Amino acid sequence: MFSHVMVGSNDIARSKRFYDAVLGVLGVGAAVENRNAAGQMRLFYRHDGANFCVTEPINGEPATVANGGTLGFKCASPEQVQQFHDVAVAHGGTSAEDPPGLRNGALGPMHLAYVRDPDGHKLCAIHRPK
């Protein structure tokens, strides 16, 4: 359904350090860096046909977060969910909502961890047991 997801950053170098570490937990390689024609730096993370991108805002205004928005990253195990969370916090992110762990709800059991990146974007690490 999606070709990519892109978020804004107010400090692209800080975002690169954060996302290189956090997405590395999922087996994603370092970002491909690109400067667009207008001069903004962008980071492209490619993995299993998906693209996650970080950009300096093209309009020159500060990057802001989506109120109510969450970006979910699929993890292979409950341990990877915990590692995603711990690496995010160790690299400038902040823990959000409940502590990482198993949740049981209407959609069945799932292991979840929520963090905010250094710019405030809310990320979710999720593993659904089979």
Side-chain angles (χ1 to χ4, degrees):
M1 178 185 298
F2 301 106
S3 68
H4 66 280
V5 173
M6 184 174 282
V7 297
S9 173
N10 292 307
D11 184 335
I12 204 79
R14 178 186 67 192
S15 290
K16 183 172 182 347
R17 288 188 302 274
F18 177 84
Y19 282 109
D20 279 1
V22 172
L23 297 181
V25 170
L26 306 178
V28 178
V32 172
E33 297 183 34
N34 171 269
R35 189 168 301 279
N36 69 9
Q40 287 81 22
M41 181 57 75
R42 303 179 298 180
L43 307 172
F44 293 92
Y45 294 90
R46 296 183 174 129
H47 185 67
D48 288 342
N51 294 284
F52 178 74
C53 316
V54 183
T55 187
E56 295 172 328
I58 294 172
N59 67 1
E61 297 292 323
T64 59
V65 298
N67 186 19
T70 302
L71 302 170
F73 291 90
K74 184 169 60 171
C75 293
S77 67
E79 294 79 16
Q80 194 175 44
V81 169
Q82 184 69 51
Q83 185 181 13
F84 183 103
H85 173 272
D86 295 347
V87 169
V89 171
H91 286 85
T94 55
S95 192
E97 299 189 15
D98 294 331
L102 179 64
R103 313 284 200 284
N104 289 300
L107 299 176
M110 61 189 107
H111 296 267
L112 298 171
Y114 290 94
V115 295
R116 290 199 179 268
D117 78 0
D119 284 294
H121 301 289
K122 187 171 155 188
L123 312 176
C124 174
I126 182 170
H127 170 72
R128 294 179 191 272
K130 294 182 182 191

